[in-house]
Amino acid sequence: MVSGEGYVSIDQEEYYKVQPGDAVFWEKDEWHETKSDIGLTAIVIQSKELNPADFMPFK
């Protein structure tokens, strides 16, 4: 996310708030939804080579 705020879902029942600085990863062919009341700007990258775990710190 670059600006704004909104919500994402993969099941149409539970939504997660997203804001600038957040990254969201979906599996190939996974249904998903993004919505916002005030608008949002995001950068979308599709890649067969991208491994999300490479970008996520261990907690």
Side-chain angles (χ1 to χ4, degrees), residues 37-58:
D37 294 327
I38 64 168
L40 61 83
T41 302
I43 298 171
V44 177
I45 301 171
Q46 293 182 313
S47 172
K48 294 178 184 179
E49 309 291 322
L50 187 65
N51 179 7
D54 292 342
F55 302 95
M56 298 161 64
F58 292 102

Side-chain angles (χ1 to χ4, degrees), residues 8-57:
V8 296
S9 176
I10 60 169
D11 61 12
Q12 292 182 305
E13 293 179 15
E14 188 170 5
Y15 286 83
Y16 301 92
K17 185 174 182 177
V18 291
Q19 57 195 9
D22 288 343
V24 179
F25 296 93
W26 284 286
E27 297 288 332
K28 182 180 178 183
D29 298 325
E30 181 177 38
W31 182 92
H32 61 277
E33 180 179 21
T34 304
K35 64 183 184 176
S36 175
D37 294 327
I38 64 168
L40 61 83
T41 302
I43 298 171
V44 177
I45 301 171
Q46 293 182 313
S47 172
K48 294 178 184 179
E49 309 291 322
L50 187 65
N51 179 7
D54 292 342
F55 302 95
M56 298 161 64

